[in-house]
Amino acid sequence: MIWTRRGFIRSLSRTALVLPFEDVLKLAMPAGAQQQVPQIGARPSYDAKPRPAPKTLPSPVTGMPLGFSFVDVAKQSGLHAKTIYGDEHKNRFLLETTGCGVAFYDFDHDDWLDIFLVNGTRLEGFPKGQEPISRLFKNNRDGTFTDITAKTGMTRSGWGQGCCVGDYDNDGLDDLFVSYYGQPILYKNHGDGTFTDVTAKAGLTQSKTRWNSGCAFLDYDKDGHLDLFVANYIDFDIKTAPLPEAAGCEYKGIQVACGPPGLDGGKNILYHNNGDGTFTDVSQKAGMWDTIGTYGLSVTVADFDNDGWPDIYVANDSTAATYYQNQKDGTFKDVAIEAGIAYSPDGKPQAGMGVAVGDFNRDGLLDIVKTNFAGDTDSLYENLGDGSFEDHTYLSGLGINTRYLGWGVSFVDVDNDGWLDILISNGHVYPEVDGSHLDAPYAEHKYLYRNLRNGQFEEVTSKAGSGMTDAVPARGCAIGDYDNDGDMDVVVNCVNAVPQLLRCDAVLMNGIQRNWIKIKLVGTKSNRTGIGARITVTATTAPQAMSGVCKQPMKQIDEVRSGGSYYSQNDLRMHFGLDQAVKVDEVTIAWPSGTRDSLKDLAANHLYVVQEGGKILRAVAMGGVVEKAAK
C-alpha cells in the first residue's frame, strides 16, 4: 500500500474521537517534527513565512486597472455609534478581545439594506442607563442612515458577540438572533421598526453561562422551519479565569490575556425548530459534541458535498476546525480531518477566526476561505467534489501574507466580472502590541484579493482606495449593496471605535459597463427566507457573443445563507456579477423542499424577488449606470 499524507490524515478520522487531542496532533505532524501541547495563554506556534506568489498562469485580468475603489463614508452616512468592547489599552481577560459582528439587514423589507451593529461592554461596567447597546440604523435611501434604536425595544447590554438573520416563525418578516457571552437573545421582528424579545418564549433560555459566539439559521432537516446553530467558544467564568500576571501568559514577550489553549472549550448548540415558535436543544443527540476541535468562533452553512442537505463548518481557535456533515437523519458527523479542512497543510492546528463560502473557480463546487491568527496565512480550501478539499492557499497566492490577523471575510465579486474575489478585515487581538517592539499594529488595513480567473488571486489592497488601506481594529464585516447601485459595499464593526461603511465606487473602464443581477427568495413549502436554496445563474457575456468564435455561457452558483464571515450577516439578496452580459439566460433555484424553479431571459441590473414555484413577485430596476468614467 502506498501511503500519502492525505490518505494518512483521512485514516485518523477512524480513531480521532477516541484519541486525546494532543495525541492526534502528534500523529498529524510530519515525521521528526516537534509538536508541543499548548499551555494556557499560548496559541499554536506558526513557522509560516511569506512565500513568493506562485508563477502566475495566463490570465485576462493581469495588468488591468481595477475599475473600482472603496471609500469610508460612515461619518457622513450617520453611522456615528462607537462600539465599546473591553479596555482600550490592556486586556486582562480573553473576553475583552473578540469584538462583535454586524448585519446588513433589511428588517422592513423595502429592498434597502439597514444596518445592525452588535455592541459590547467593559469589565468595570457602566452607570445604570448609560450601558452600551447594539444599534439599528434605518436606510434613508439617500446614502444616509437614521439611528432608530430608541424605538426598537432592543435594550439589551452586555458582551455582544455575533448576529444572524432568518424568519424563524415564517410570518414573512426576517427575525434577528444575537449571541452573547451569557444569555443570547432572539428578537421577533414586527416589521415596523419594533422588536420583541422572545428568547424565553421560544425556549432558548440557557441554564448556565455560555460563551455563545457565531450563529446561523438553517433548515437541517428540511421540514420548512428554520433551526438554529450556535457555536460556543470557551467555558469561561470571570471569577476563576487566569490572569496574565498569575499564569505567565505572554505573546512574543508581551504579557497578554490568557487563552484559549489550556482552558475548557465550549460545546456547540443545535436548536431544532418545533414549528410552533419554540425550539428544542438537540445538540448531544445530533452529534454536535463529538468533535476533535473546540473553541468555536465563526460558523457557515452550505451544501458542501452537493447531496441537497446543509452541512456546517466552524472556524475554531487554536484547534482543528469542525466540519459537520449532515447525515440526513437528524444527526451530523465531524469529518473535517477526512475532508482535509481541519488543519494547516503541514498538519498543525490553526487559530481560525472567520469563514466564508463561495465557488471561486466556477466549477459548481463550494469552496472555503478561513481567516487565521497573526503569523499564519489565511486558508483557502478548494472543493474537489469527492468529499474532500485541497489546501489551495499557496497555489492561489494567498500565502504571501502572514503578518496581519484576520477576522471578517467574504467571497465577493467586487468588479462584477462574474468571478469571486476575497475581502478580509484585519486587526490584532492584543492592544498591548501598540508601542511594543513588535512589527504588528493593533489597527490594521484590509486585504483585497482579485480573482485572476485561473485559480489564482492578486493582492490589490493598495490600489483599491482608502477604504481598504485605512488601518482600523476590525472584527466583524458584512457585504451588501446598501445604496442599490449594483456594486457590493462593506460594513465593518471595529473594537472601541466607530464602524466603517465602505462604499464601492465603480468606474467605467474603456467604456465597458459591467452588469449584475440580484435574486431574493420567498419560500412557501421551504422556509420563508429561502435559506439553504441554491441558485444557479447562466449568462453569455457580450465579448464572447460578438467575437463570433464561440459563445461560452458562464455559470455561477451560490446559496442563501444565514450568518458567516466573522460573527456577521451578509445581504440575503444573492448578487451575481455578469460582466458585459445584458441579460441572464437562465436562473435555476433548487429549494430545500425539493422544488426546482427555472426562470429565463431576465434583464440585467434588476432585483428579482422570486416566490417558490417560480412566480416573480417583483422586478426592480436598480443602479446600472456608472456615474463617472475613468480618467
Side-chain angles (χ1 to χ4, degrees):
M1 178 181 293
I2 299 176
W3 284 89
T4 65
R5 177 161 187 77
R6 176 171 289 278
F8 177 65
I9 292 294
R10 284 181 177 177
S11 72
L12 292 179
S13 64
R14 302 187 184 96
T15 58
L17 295 181
V18 297
L19 287 175
F21 177 61
E22 57 267 28
D23 292 339
V24 175
L25 290 184
K26 292 173 183 176
L27 283 172
M29 290 296 294
Q34 299 296 315
Q35 174 70 42
Q36 295 182 346
V37 179
Q39 304 298 314
I40 289 179
R43 275 188 164 90
S45 58
Y46 304 110
D47 298 322
K49 303 293 182 184
R51 299 188 186 182
K55 184 176 180 181
T56 303
L57 300 173
S59 166
V61 180
T62 303
M64 289 180 58
L66 294 186
F68 63 88
S69 65
F70 287 91
V71 58
D72 184 3
V73 296
K75 184 176 180 180
Q76 55 264 49
S77 297
L79 299 185
H80 51 73
K82 179 179 179 178
T83 295
I84 303 297
Y85 207 91
D87 190 271
E88 298 196 20
H89 305 292
K90 181 175 177 60
N91 294 159
R92 301 178 69 200
F93 298 104
L94 195 63
L95 180 59
E96 299 178 80
T97 66
T98 56
C100 309
V102 60
F104 268 130
Y105 172 33
D106 182 11
F107 75 90
D108 52 2
H109 291 260
D110 65 352
D111 298 328
W112 291 83
L113 292 178
D114 312 296
I115 294 175
F116 180 79
L117 287 155
V118 184
N119 214 333
T121 187
R122 293 200 172 117
L123 292 175
E124 62 270 24
F126 290 82
K128 187 172 180 58
Q130 299 180 29
E131 302 92 344
I133 59 174
S134 301
R135 298 279 171 180
L136 180 62
F137 290 86
K138 179 172 172 52
N139 194 324
N140 298 324
R141 311 184 188 186
D142 60 0
T144 68
F145 292 80
T146 298
D147 185 346
I148 63 169
T149 309
K151 76 168 189 175
T152 62
M154 296 178 175
T155 58
R156 173 74 181 276
S157 62
W159 295 99
Q161 301 291 295
C163 57
C164 52
V165 172
D167 185 358
Y168 82 95
D169 54 0
N170 284 335
D171 67 350
L173 296 168
D174 288 327
D175 308 295
L176 177 68
F177 180 85
V178 186
S179 62
Y180 280 81
Y181 166 68
Q183 181 62 50
I185 193 164
L186 175 61
Y187 287 115
K188 177 176 171 56
N189 182 5
H190 299 296
D192 58 358
T194 64
F195 295 78
T196 299
D197 176 358
V198 295
T199 311
K201 182 179 178 181
L204 297 176
T205 303
Q206 297 175 350
S207 59
K208 71 171 189 175
T209 298
R210 293 178 178 269
W211 192 332
N212 304 280
S213 51
C215 63
F217 286 101
L218 74 160
D219 185 4
Y220 74 87
D221 54 359
K222 302 203 299 183
D223 65 354
H225 301 286
L226 286 178
D227 312 298
L228 177 63
F229 178 87
V230 186
N232 268 243
Y233 191 29
I234 296 170
D235 280 345
F236 178 84
D237 185 343
I238 202 166
K239 297 177 182 178
T240 59
L243 290 169
E245 55 270 24
C249 299
E250 293 186 347
Y251 173 72
K252 298 187 176 181
I254 300 174
Q255 192 176 81
V256 297
C258 297
L263 302 176
D264 292 333
K267 293 186 180 297
N268 299 330
I269 308 173
L270 181 64
Y271 294 104
H272 177 260
N273 191 325
N274 300 321
D276 59 1
T278 68
F279 293 83
T280 299
D281 185 343
V282 296
S283 308
Q284 188 167 11
K285 72 177 183 180
M288 295 296 107
W289 297 351
D290 300 328
T291 64
I292 294 297
T294 183
Y295 310 139
L297 285 174
S298 298
V299 55
T300 192
V301 178
D303 180 10
F304 291 111
D305 52 8
N306 282 351
D307 66 353
W309 293 76
D311 311 300
I312 304 170
Y313 185 79
V314 184
N316 293 327
D317 189 358
S318 304
T319 65
T322 299
Y323 171 30
Y324 292 108
Q325 187 180 60
N326 195 323
Q327 302 300 296
K328 312 176 191 177
D329 59 2
T331 68
F332 291 80
K333 181 181 179 182
D334 179 12
V335 295
I337 293 177
E338 185 177 25
I341 48 179
Y343 300 113
S344 69
D346 54 356
K348 293 183 180 180
Q350 296 176 291
M353 302 293 169
V355 61
V357 173
D359 181 12
F360 78 89
N361 53 2
R362 292 199 334 210
D363 64 354
L365 302 167
L366 292 173
D367 312 299
I368 298 171
V369 61
K370 177 169 68 76
T371 56
N372 296 310
F373 201 78
D376 192 10
T377 67
D378 298 309
S379 300
L380 179 63
Y381 297 109
E382 180 185 1
N383 192 332
L384 301 181
D386 61 356
S388 69
F389 293 75
E390 193 74 50
D391 192 303
H392 209 67
T393 305
Y394 290 106
L395 290 174
S396 69
L398 266 64
I400 62 172
N401 288 315
T402 62
R403 181 184 175 210
Y404 285 171
L405 197 161
W407 299 91
V409 57
S410 287
F411 281 111
V412 54
D413 186 358
V414 292
D415 52 4
N416 282 332
D417 68 348
W419 294 86
L420 293 176
D421 311 295
I422 296 175
L423 171 71
I424 296 173
S425 63
N426 299 305
H428 212 285
V429 72
Y430 304 125
E432 294 88 349
V433 299
D434 276 348
S436 73
H437 64 280
L438 299 179
D439 182 27
Y442 187 59
E444 299 175 343
H445 66 67
K446 292 163 189 60
Y447 291 142
L448 182 62
Y449 297 96
R450 175 167 63 174
N451 194 323
L452 296 179
R453 312 181 191 178
N454 58 3
Q456 296 178 339
F457 292 83
E458 171 192 13
E459 196 208 326
V460 294
T461 308
S462 63
K463 305 174 184 178
S466 59
M468 291 293 112
T469 57
D470 287 347
V472 296
R475 292 297 187 267
C477 78
I479 304 297
D481 184 5
Y482 81 90
D483 52 2
N484 284 339
D485 67 349
D487 46 44
M488 299 298 277
D489 311 299
V490 186
V491 61
V492 184
N493 206 347
C494 302
V495 176
N496 291 313
V498 296
Q500 287 185 305
L501 181 60
L502 308 182
R503 188 185 68 208
C504 182
D505 293 333
V507 179
L508 271 177
M509 305 304 301
N510 301 320
I512 295 174
Q513 168 76 40
R514 282 184 173 160
N515 301 312
W516 51 269
I517 191 172
K518 296 184 193 294
I519 307 292
K520 180 176 174 61
L521 299 184
V522 178
T524 53
K525 295 180 181 178
S526 303
N527 67 86
R528 192 68 175 265
T529 313
I531 289 170
R534 176 171 290 196
I535 301 173
T536 304
V537 171
T538 305
T540 304
T541 59
Q544 293 172 327
M546 293 187 298
S547 67
V549 177
C550 182
K551 292 184 179 181
Q552 296 181 344
M554 59 177 178
K555 182 176 290 188
Q556 304 174 64
I557 68 165
D558 206 349
E559 292 178 354
V560 183
R561 64 182 57 88
S562 172
S565 183
Y566 176 77
Y567 284 9
S568 296
Q569 175 69 59
N570 295 326
D571 187 354
L572 285 167
R573 304 175 300 180
M574 296 288 94
H575 178 99
F576 298 89
L578 300 178
D579 202 352
Q580 296 176 62
V582 296
K583 70 178 180 67
V584 169
D585 300 329
E586 183 178 23
V587 171
T588 60
I589 305 166
W591 296 84
S593 67
T595 299
R596 188 176 182 88
D597 293 330
S598 176
L599 307 170
K600 296 186 178 180
D601 297 327
L602 301 182
N605 304 328
H606 282 67
L607 163 68
Y608 292 91
V609 181
V610 183
Q611 186 179 72
E612 188 171 8
K615 180 180 180 180
I616 297 178
L617 298 180
R618 61 184 182 275
V620 184
M622 295 178 171
V625 177
V626 180
E627 297 181 353
K628 55 184 179 179
K631 294 182 180 179

